[in-house]
């Protein structure tokens, strides 16, 4: 099992399938991002093998992410491979939603369980400012496609940034209430390599919650401490929201995640500075035991938690799209 020095067990694996993306969100990647060569990315067969080993070590669920996971050709085939792994309870995905109108049905048939769709604004001009692309309508269609395909659950992720979209909390709350989708508000994290982030742009989760509460009374929903989102439902039964306070109230001591980058490196923390090379082990003929040993090392080295806004914090070199959000 993958238990670290602080007694935390890794049960969730986030797999980045590509560092490429058809959006250029300002908080995630530069407009002129440089991408890995395709032969540097793990193949589907390699990802499946790594996942099988991870499951043998106690990983229970995986989430495909990126970059934009649906920008990788035939990713539904990877979903199908992973969904067949005995002992793996769920394959989920985080996506910007753009390709869902075309892909939702195929993904559902391949065995994808849940989708989180990222959407930070319901205003077209702001969408262009935040993502540097004019695709709001398409993402809204993607949400409808995900609901129609029957994914369970469908959630929205909204990164809240002061002065950019913090005045839209109420609109998102209404969106959650009318569509019965959980909207999760995420604090803005320093993973943009210094181009935009500063602490003044972070809207604390407690402020987001107060704004939501003003729309309609909320009550906490019991949930696992390992879920980064604190969940609340509206007392009148219409919908649910979550807040992810990664910056102001870190949940590191309950962290049960480990990440695999698209180029085959394990990372034990979003903000970690070290990487553990699985691809090298695979491509030099290593055994499953050798892959397992890389997992064990990554977990053994996991630190107590990130130091954002504290002395000693060093921003990771890779931006979010290259780590896998
Ligand atoms: N392209 C997909 C998407 O946008 O959903 C998956 C990858 S994206 C990196 C995963 C999640 O990370 C998205 O919900 C995105 O909003 C979030 N994210 C990216 N950069 C972030 C940052 N600096 N702070 C907080 N969340 C961020
Ligand atoms: Fe692409 Fe997702 Fe990053 Fe936006 S947040 S640039 S959609 S990877």
């Amino acid at each position: 099992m993958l238990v670290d020095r602080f007694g935390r067990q890794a049960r969730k694996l986030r797999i980045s399938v590509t560092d490429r993306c058809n959006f250029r969100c300002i908080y995630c990647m530069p407009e002129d991002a440089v991408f890995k060569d395709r032969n540097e990315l793990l193949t589907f067969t390699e990802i499946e093998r790594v996942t099988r080993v991870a499951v043998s070590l106690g990983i229970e669920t995986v989430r495909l992410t990126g970059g934009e996971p649906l920008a990788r050709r035939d990713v539904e085939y990877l979903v199908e491979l992973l969904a067949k792994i005995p002992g793996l309870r769920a394959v989920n995905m985080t996506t910007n939603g753009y390709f869902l109108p075309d892909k939702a049905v195929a993904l559902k048939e391949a065995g994808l369980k849940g989708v989180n769709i990222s959407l930070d604004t319901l205003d077209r001009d702001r969408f262009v400012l935040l993502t540097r692309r004019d695709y709001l309508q398409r993402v809204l269609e993607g949400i409808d496609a995900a609901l129609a395909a029957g994914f369970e659950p469908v959630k929205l992720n909204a990164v809240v940034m002061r002065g950019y979209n913090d005045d839209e909390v109420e609109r998102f709350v209404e969106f959650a209430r009318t569509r019965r989708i959980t909207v999760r508000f995420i604090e803005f994290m320093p993973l943009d390599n210094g181009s935009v982030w500063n602490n003044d742009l972070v809207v604390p989760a407690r402020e987001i919650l107060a704004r939501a509460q003003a729309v309609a009374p909320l009550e906490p929903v019991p949930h696992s401490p390992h879920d980064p989102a604190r969940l609340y439902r509206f007392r009148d039964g219409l919908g649910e929201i979550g807040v992810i306070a990664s910056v102001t109230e870190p949940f590191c001591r309950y962290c049960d995640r480990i990440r695999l980058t698209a180029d085959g490196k394990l990372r034990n923390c979003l903000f970690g500075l070290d990487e553990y090379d699985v691809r090298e082990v695979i491509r030099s003929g290593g055994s499953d035991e050798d892959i397992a040993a890389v997992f064990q090392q990554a977990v053994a080295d996991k630190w107590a938690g990130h130091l954002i806004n504290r002395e000693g914090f060093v921003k990771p070199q890779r931006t979010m799209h290259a780590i896998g959000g």
Side-chain angles (χ1 to χ4, degrees):
M1 294 293 113
L2 297 168
V3 181
D4 70 21
R5 289 174 287 162
F6 305 95
R8 298 170 297 193
Q9 185 178 345
R11 296 177 196 272
K12 298 182 189 133
L13 174 65
R14 295 178 81 98
I15 302 174
S16 173
V17 297
T18 177
D19 56 347
R20 288 167 201 259
C21 187
N22 54 330
F23 289 18
R24 290 291 182 279
C25 301
I26 57 171
Y27 49 70
C28 177
M29 67 196 290
E31 177 68 89
D32 58 352
V34 178
F35 301 114
K36 302 275 174 201
D37 282 347
R38 286 179 207 278
N39 61 10
E40 291 185 70
L41 304 190
L42 292 188
T43 64
F44 289 168
T45 314
E46 288 170 334
I47 294 174
E48 190 216 11
R49 181 173 174 205
V50 175
T51 307
R52 277 185 190 273
V53 173
V55 170
S56 76
L57 295 167
I59 292 295
E60 296 170 359
T61 61
V62 301
R63 176 169 296 280
L64 301 182
T65 180
E68 173 47 43
L70 296 178
R72 177 129 178 206
R73 189 179 304 165
D74 299 330
V75 78
E76 56 274 27
Y77 179 59
L78 175 65
V79 171
E80 201 177 319
L81 288 178
L82 299 182
K84 285 186 188 141
I85 295 178
L88 186 61
R89 297 218 318 250
V91 181
N92 299 306
M93 182 179 283
T94 299
T95 169
N96 63 29
Y98 180 90
F99 295 103
L100 282 174
D102 303 329
K103 293 269 186 177
V105 172
L107 289 164
K108 175 75 180 153
E109 284 171 0
L112 190 70
K113 189 163 179 291
V115 276
N116 291 358
I117 303 169
S118 304
L119 176 63
D120 310 315
T121 177
L122 295 163
D123 176 274
R124 183 175 169 186
D125 293 336
R126 279 189 185 175
F127 190 95
V128 174
L129 177 73
L130 285 167
T131 67
R132 304 189 181 106
R133 298 291 183 270
D134 190 4
Y135 294 153
L136 173 62
Q137 191 50 39
R138 178 80 183 190
V139 174
L140 294 173
E141 287 163 21
I143 295 169
D144 289 337
L147 290 168
F151 292 111
E152 182 56 48
V154 177
K155 297 180 192 165
L156 284 198
N157 284 350
V159 178
V160 185
M161 300 167 74
R162 196 174 302 286
Y164 285 86
N165 62 350
D166 53 325
D167 57 348
E168 286 193 67
V169 169
E170 293 82 352
R171 270 181 96 182
F172 272 109
V173 165
E174 293 299 350
F175 193 87
R177 286 166 63 74
T178 49
R179 303 217 180 194
R180 310 280 176 101
I181 299 176
T182 302
V183 175
R184 303 177 335 146
F185 298 101
I186 306 175
E187 288 180 350
F188 180 25
M189 296 182 280
L191 288 165
D192 59 330
N193 210 7
S195 52
V196 190
W197 192 90
N198 73 65
N199 197 44
D200 296 341
L201 295 183
V202 177
V203 182
R206 61 181 172 281
E207 184 180 326
I208 296 168
L209 207 53
R211 293 184 80 129
Q213 185 76 267
V215 177
L218 288 162
E219 60 190 14
V221 178
H223 61 91
S224 157
H226 301 295
D227 184 347
R230 294 202 313 268
L231 299 174
Y232 299 84
R233 67 181 153 231
F234 293 99
R235 288 225 169 102
D236 58 12
L238 284 186
E240 192 177 88
I241 63 159
V243 286
I244 303 182
S246 333
V247 177
T248 63
E249 299 163 63
F251 33 81
C252 305
R253 78 192 148 108
Y254 296 111
C255 180
D256 61 353
R257 295 159 179 218
I258 185 160
R259 307 178 118 83
L260 178 66
T261 65
D263 57 341
K265 315 282 189 268
L266 286 178
R267 294 177 62 96
N268 56 23
C269 175
L270 255 184
F271 299 95
L273 302 173
D274 295 324
E275 299 190 335
Y276 302 82
D277 199 341
V278 182
R279 190 188 68 194
E280 169 62 23
V281 171
I282 295 176
R283 295 192 182 170
S284 59
S287 65
D288 286 356
E289 289 69 30
D290 296 329
I291 297 172
V294 183
F295 271 91
Q296 300 286 8
Q297 190 61 55
V299 169
D301 290 351
K302 186 159 169 152
W303 54 12
H306 71 66
L307 297 170
I308 299 172
N309 281 336
R310 284 187 282 162
E311 199 179 329
F313 177 64
V314 180
K315 280 184 190 168
Q317 288 255 302
R318 293 191 192 227
T319 46
M320 186 67 133
H321 77 100
I323 295 173

Short mmCIF file of all heavy atoms in Angstrom, two decimals, residues 179-218:
data_model
loop_
_atom_site.label_atom_id
_atom_site.label_comp_id
_atom_site.label_asym_id
_atom_site.label_seq_id
_atom_site.Cartn_x
_atom_site.Cartn_y
_atom_site.Cartn_z
N ARG A 179 -30.00 23.94 -12.68
CA ARG A 179 -29.61 22.74 -13.43
C ARG A 179 -29.35 21.54 -12.53
O ARG A 179 -29.00 20.47 -13.02
CB ARG A 179 -28.35 23.00 -14.22
CG ARG A 179 -28.51 24.16 -15.15
CD ARG A 179 -27.76 23.86 -16.38
NE ARG A 179 -27.90 24.96 -17.30
CZ ARG A 179 -27.58 24.86 -18.57
NH1 ARG A 179 -27.11 23.73 -19.03
NH2 ARG A 179 -27.72 25.88 -19.36
N ARG A 180 -29.38 21.76 -11.23
CA ARG A 180 -29.09 20.68 -10.28
C ARG A 180 -27.72 20.05 -10.52
O ARG A 180 -27.57 18.82 -10.54
CB ARG A 180 -30.16 19.57 -10.35
CG ARG A 180 -31.58 20.08 -10.27
CD ARG A 180 -31.95 20.37 -8.84
NE ARG A 180 -33.27 20.95 -8.75
CZ ARG A 180 -34.36 20.26 -8.40
NH1 ARG A 180 -34.29 19.00 -8.11
NH2 ARG A 180 -35.53 20.86 -8.33
N ILE A 181 -26.74 20.92 -10.78
CA ILE A 181 -25.35 20.47 -10.93
C ILE A 181 -24.58 21.04 -9.74
O ILE A 181 -24.79 22.20 -9.39
CB ILE A 181 -24.70 21.05 -12.20
CG1 ILE A 181 -25.45 20.60 -13.44
CG2 ILE A 181 -23.24 20.66 -12.30
CD1 ILE A 181 -24.89 21.24 -14.72
N THR A 182 -23.68 20.27 -9.17
CA THR A 182 -22.83 20.83 -8.12
C THR A 182 -21.80 21.76 -8.76
O THR A 182 -21.06 21.35 -9.65
CB THR A 182 -22.09 19.71 -7.36
OG1 THR A 182 -23.05 18.83 -6.81
CG2 THR A 182 -21.24 20.28 -6.23
N VAL A 183 -21.79 23.01 -8.31
CA VAL A 183 -20.75 23.95 -8.75
C VAL A 183 -19.72 24.04 -7.64
O VAL A 183 -20.06 24.27 -6.48
CB VAL A 183 -21.33 25.36 -9.03
CG1 VAL A 183 -20.20 26.33 -9.37
CG2 VAL A 183 -22.34 25.31 -10.17
N ARG A 184 -18.46 23.84 -8.01
CA ARG A 184 -17.39 23.90 -7.01
C ARG A 184 -16.52 25.11 -7.30
O ARG A 184 -15.97 25.24 -8.40
CB ARG A 184 -16.58 22.61 -7.04
CG ARG A 184 -17.52 21.40 -6.81
CD ARG A 184 -16.86 20.07 -6.89
NE ARG A 184 -15.67 20.03 -7.68
CZ ARG A 184 -14.64 19.24 -7.41
NH1 ARG A 184 -14.68 18.44 -6.37
NH2 ARG A 184 -13.59 19.22 -8.18
N PHE A 185 -16.43 25.98 -6.33
CA PHE A 185 -15.62 27.19 -6.49
C PHE A 185 -14.22 26.89 -5.97
O PHE A 185 -14.05 26.40 -4.85
CB PHE A 185 -16.24 28.33 -5.69
CG PHE A 185 -17.62 28.72 -6.15
CD1 PHE A 185 -18.75 28.30 -5.47
CD2 PHE A 185 -17.79 29.50 -7.29
CE1 PHE A 185 -20.02 28.65 -5.89
CE2 PHE A 185 -19.05 29.86 -7.73
CZ PHE A 185 -20.17 29.43 -7.02
N ILE A 186 -13.23 27.20 -6.78
CA ILE A 186 -11.84 26.86 -6.45
C ILE A 186 -11.04 28.14 -6.22
O ILE A 186 -11.11 29.07 -7.03
CB ILE A 186 -11.18 26.08 -7.61
CG1 ILE A 186 -12.02 24.85 -7.98
CG2 ILE A 186 -9.76 25.67 -7.26
CD1 ILE A 186 -11.49 24.09 -9.19
N GLU A 187 -10.29 28.18 -5.13
CA GLU A 187 -9.40 29.32 -4.92
C GLU A 187 -8.27 29.29 -5.96
O GLU A 187 -7.75 28.21 -6.30
CB GLU A 187 -8.80 29.27 -3.51
CG GLU A 187 -9.82 29.61 -2.44
CD GLU A 187 -9.23 29.57 -1.03
OE1 GLU A 187 -8.08 29.10 -0.85
OE2 GLU A 187 -9.92 29.99 -0.11
N PHE A 188 -7.90 30.46 -6.40
CA PHE A 188 -6.85 30.62 -7.41
C PHE A 188 -5.50 30.25 -6.80
O PHE A 188 -5.09 30.81 -5.79
CB PHE A 188 -6.88 32.08 -7.87
CG PHE A 188 -5.87 32.46 -8.92
CD1 PHE A 188 -5.32 31.53 -9.79
CD2 PHE A 188 -5.49 33.79 -9.05
CE1 PHE A 188 -4.40 31.91 -10.75
CE2 PHE A 188 -4.58 34.18 -10.01
CZ PHE A 188 -4.02 33.24 -10.85
N MET A 189 -4.82 29.29 -7.42
CA MET A 189 -3.54 28.81 -6.89
C MET A 189 -2.37 29.30 -7.75
O MET A 189 -2.52 29.50 -8.95
CB MET A 189 -3.53 27.27 -6.88
CG MET A 189 -4.57 26.66 -5.97
SD MET A 189 -4.46 24.86 -5.98
CE MET A 189 -5.31 24.43 -7.48
N PRO A 190 -1.19 29.44 -7.13
CA PRO A 190 -0.02 29.93 -7.89
C PRO A 190 0.60 28.84 -8.76
O PRO A 190 1.66 28.32 -8.48
CB PRO A 190 0.94 30.38 -6.79
CG PRO A 190 0.54 29.61 -5.58
CD PRO A 190 -0.92 29.30 -5.70
N LEU A 191 -0.09 28.51 -9.84
CA LEU A 191 0.42 27.48 -10.76
C LEU A 191 0.49 28.02 -12.18
O LEU A 191 0.41 27.27 -13.14
CB LEU A 191 -0.49 26.25 -10.69
CG LEU A 191 -0.34 25.47 -9.38
CD1 LEU A 191 -1.49 24.50 -9.20
CD2 LEU A 191 0.99 24.72 -9.35
N ASP A 192 0.61 29.33 -12.29
CA ASP A 192 0.65 29.97 -13.59
C ASP A 192 2.05 30.47 -13.89
O ASP A 192 2.26 31.27 -14.79
CB ASP A 192 -0.33 31.16 -13.60
CG ASP A 192 0.04 32.16 -12.52
OD1 ASP A 192 0.57 31.74 -11.48
OD2 ASP A 192 -0.18 33.36 -12.72
N ASN A 193 3.00 30.01 -13.09
CA ASN A 193 4.41 30.40 -13.23
C ASN A 193 4.61 31.91 -13.13
O ASN A 193 5.44 32.49 -13.83
CB ASN A 193 5.01 29.85 -14.52
CG ASN A 193 6.49 29.59 -14.35
OD1 ASN A 193 7.01 29.69 -13.24
ND2 ASN A 193 7.17 29.27 -15.43
N GLY A 194 3.84 32.53 -12.27
CA GLY A 194 4.11 33.92 -11.94
C GLY A 194 3.53 34.94 -12.88
O GLY A 194 3.74 36.14 -12.70
N SER A 195 2.80 34.53 -13.90
CA SER A 195 2.36 35.54 -14.85
C SER A 195 1.16 36.35 -14.35
O SER A 195 1.03 37.52 -14.67
CB SER A 195 2.05 34.90 -16.20
OG SER A 195 1.17 33.83 -16.05
N VAL A 196 0.29 35.76 -13.55
CA VAL A 196 -0.91 36.47 -13.10
C VAL A 196 -1.07 36.43 -11.58
O VAL A 196 -1.44 37.42 -10.96
CB VAL A 196 -2.20 35.84 -13.71
CG1 VAL A 196 -3.41 36.73 -13.45
CG2 VAL A 196 -2.05 35.59 -15.19
N TRP A 197 -0.77 35.28 -10.98
CA TRP A 197 -1.14 35.07 -9.57
C TRP A 197 -0.51 36.09 -8.63
O TRP A 197 0.67 36.39 -8.71
CB TRP A 197 -0.69 33.67 -9.12
CG TRP A 197 -1.29 33.26 -7.78
CD1 TRP A 197 -2.46 32.61 -7.61
CD2 TRP A 197 -0.74 33.47 -6.47
NE1 TRP A 197 -2.70 32.40 -6.26
CE2 TRP A 197 -1.66 32.93 -5.54
CE3 TRP A 197 0.42 34.06 -5.98
CZ2 TRP A 197 -1.45 32.95 -4.16
CZ3 TRP A 197 0.64 34.11 -4.61
CH2 TRP A 197 -0.30 33.54 -3.72
N ASN A 198 -1.31 36.64 -7.77
CA ASN A 198 -0.79 37.23 -6.54
C ASN A 198 -1.89 37.07 -5.50
O ASN A 198 -3.06 36.86 -5.84
CB ASN A 198 -0.30 38.67 -6.71
CG ASN A 198 -1.42 39.64 -6.88
OD1 ASN A 198 -2.22 39.84 -5.96
ND2 ASN A 198 -1.51 40.24 -8.06
N ASN A 199 -1.50 37.17 -4.26
CA ASN A 199 -2.43 36.80 -3.19
C ASN A 199 -3.69 37.67 -3.18
O ASN A 199 -4.75 37.23 -2.73
CB ASN A 199 -1.71 36.83 -1.84
CG ASN A 199 -2.49 36.07 -0.80
OD1 ASN A 199 -2.98 34.98 -1.08
ND2 ASN A 199 -2.66 36.66 0.36
N ASP A 200 -3.58 38.90 -3.70
CA ASP A 200 -4.76 39.78 -3.70
C ASP A 200 -5.85 39.24 -4.63
O ASP A 200 -7.02 39.63 -4.52
CB ASP A 200 -4.37 41.19 -4.17
CG ASP A 200 -3.41 41.84 -3.18
OD1 ASP A 200 -3.35 41.38 -2.03
OD2 ASP A 200 -2.71 42.79 -3.59
N LEU A 201 -5.47 38.40 -5.56
CA LEU A 201 -6.46 37.86 -6.50
C LEU A 201 -7.19 36.64 -5.93
O LEU A 201 -8.14 36.15 -6.53
CB LEU A 201 -5.79 37.47 -7.82
CG LEU A 201 -5.18 38.60 -8.65
CD1 LEU A 201 -4.62 38.05 -9.95
CD2 LEU A 201 -6.21 39.67 -8.94
N VAL A 202 -6.69 36.13 -4.80
CA VAL A 202 -7.32 34.94 -4.20
C VAL A 202 -8.58 35.39 -3.44
O VAL A 202 -8.50 36.24 -2.56
CB VAL A 202 -6.36 34.23 -3.22
CG1 VAL A 202 -7.05 33.03 -2.57
CG2 VAL A 202 -5.09 33.80 -3.95
N VAL A 203 -9.70 34.84 -3.81
CA VAL A 203 -10.94 35.12 -3.08
C VAL A 203 -11.13 33.96 -2.10
O VAL A 203 -11.34 32.82 -2.52
CB VAL A 203 -12.15 35.22 -4.03
CG1 VAL A 203 -13.41 35.58 -3.25
CG2 VAL A 203 -11.87 36.25 -5.13
N PRO A 204 -11.03 34.24 -0.79
CA PRO A 204 -11.09 33.14 0.17
C PRO A 204 -12.43 32.40 0.12
O PRO A 204 -13.48 33.02 -0.10
CB PRO A 204 -10.91 33.83 1.53
CG PRO A 204 -10.33 35.17 1.23
CD PRO A 204 -10.81 35.54 -0.13
N ALA A 205 -12.36 31.10 0.33
CA ALA A 205 -13.57 30.27 0.26
C ALA A 205 -14.66 30.79 1.19
O ALA A 205 -15.84 30.75 0.87
CB ALA A 205 -13.21 28.82 0.61
N ARG A 206 -14.26 31.32 2.37
CA ARG A 206 -15.30 31.77 3.31
C ARG A 206 -16.07 32.96 2.74
O ARG A 206 -17.26 33.12 2.98
CB ARG A 206 -14.70 32.09 4.68
CG ARG A 206 -13.68 33.17 4.69
CD ARG A 206 -13.10 33.41 6.09
NE ARG A 206 -11.99 34.33 6.01
CZ ARG A 206 -10.76 34.00 5.62
NH1 ARG A 206 -10.46 32.75 5.32
NH2 ARG A 206 -9.82 34.91 5.52
N GLU A 207 -15.39 33.78 1.92
CA GLU A 207 -16.07 34.92 1.28
C GLU A 207 -17.03 34.40 0.18
O GLU A 207 -18.16 34.89 0.05
CB GLU A 207 -15.01 35.85 0.69
CG GLU A 207 -15.57 37.11 0.08
CD GLU A 207 -14.47 38.00 -0.49
OE1 GLU A 207 -13.34 38.04 0.06
OE2 GLU A 207 -14.74 38.66 -1.52
N ILE A 208 -16.57 33.41 -0.55
CA ILE A 208 -17.42 32.82 -1.61
C ILE A 208 -18.68 32.24 -0.98
O ILE A 208 -19.81 32.43 -1.46
CB ILE A 208 -16.63 31.73 -2.37
CG1 ILE A 208 -15.44 32.35 -3.10
CG2 ILE A 208 -17.54 30.97 -3.33
CD1 ILE A 208 -14.44 31.33 -3.64
N LEU A 209 -18.46 31.55 0.12
CA LEU A 209 -19.58 30.90 0.81
C LEU A 209 -20.59 31.93 1.32
O LEU A 209 -21.81 31.73 1.20
CB LEU A 209 -19.00 30.11 2.00
CG LEU A 209 -19.77 28.91 2.47
CD1 LEU A 209 -20.07 27.95 1.34
CD2 LEU A 209 -18.93 28.20 3.56
N ALA A 210 -20.09 33.04 1.83
CA ALA A 210 -20.98 34.08 2.34
C ALA A 210 -21.84 34.65 1.20
O ALA A 210 -23.03 34.91 1.37
CB ALA A 210 -20.17 35.18 3.01
N ARG A 211 -21.22 34.81 0.04
CA ARG A 211 -21.98 35.33 -1.11
C ARG A 211 -23.05 34.33 -1.54
O ARG A 211 -24.17 34.72 -1.87
CB ARG A 211 -21.05 35.59 -2.28
CG ARG A 211 -20.08 36.72 -2.04
CD ARG A 211 -19.27 36.99 -3.27
NE ARG A 211 -20.06 37.79 -4.21
CZ ARG A 211 -19.62 38.90 -4.78
NH1 ARG A 211 -18.40 39.32 -4.53
NH2 ARG A 211 -20.38 39.57 -5.61
N ALA A 212 -22.69 33.05 -1.52
CA ALA A 212 -23.66 32.03 -1.94
C ALA A 212 -24.80 31.95 -0.94
O ALA A 212 -25.98 31.84 -1.31
CB ALA A 212 -22.95 30.67 -2.05
N GLN A 213 -24.44 32.06 0.31
CA GLN A 213 -25.41 31.98 1.41
C GLN A 213 -26.46 33.10 1.30
O GLN A 213 -27.61 32.92 1.67
CB GLN A 213 -24.58 32.14 2.70
CG GLN A 213 -25.19 32.02 4.03
CD GLN A 213 -25.49 30.59 4.42
OE1 GLN A 213 -26.59 30.15 4.18
NE2 GLN A 213 -24.55 29.89 5.03
N ALA A 214 -26.02 34.24 0.73
CA ALA A 214 -26.93 35.38 0.59
C ALA A 214 -28.01 35.09 -0.47
O ALA A 214 -29.07 35.70 -0.47
CB ALA A 214 -26.15 36.63 0.25
N VAL A 215 -27.72 34.17 -1.38
CA VAL A 215 -28.71 33.84 -2.42
C VAL A 215 -29.81 32.95 -1.82
O VAL A 215 -30.99 33.18 -2.03
CB VAL A 215 -28.04 33.09 -3.60
CG1 VAL A 215 -29.07 32.69 -4.65
CG2 VAL A 215 -26.94 33.94 -4.22
N ALA A 216 -29.39 31.98 -1.06
CA ALA A 216 -30.36 31.07 -0.42
C ALA A 216 -29.63 30.36 0.71
O ALA A 216 -28.44 30.05 0.58
CB ALA A 216 -30.88 30.06 -1.43
N PRO A 217 -30.33 30.09 1.82
CA PRO A 217 -29.66 29.48 2.96
C PRO A 217 -29.07 28.10 2.64
O PRO A 217 -29.66 27.31 1.92
CB PRO A 217 -30.78 29.35 4.00
CG PRO A 217 -31.83 30.31 3.55
CD PRO A 217 -31.73 30.41 2.08
N LEU A 218 -27.87 27.88 3.20
CA LEU A 218 -27.14 26.64 2.93
C LEU A 218 -26.96 25.84 4.21
O LEU A 218 -26.97 26.42 5.31
CB LEU A 218 -25.73 27.00 2.44
CG LEU A 218 -25.59 27.57 1.04
CD1 LEU A 218 -24.23 28.25 0.89
CD2 LEU A 218 -25.73 26.47 0.01
#
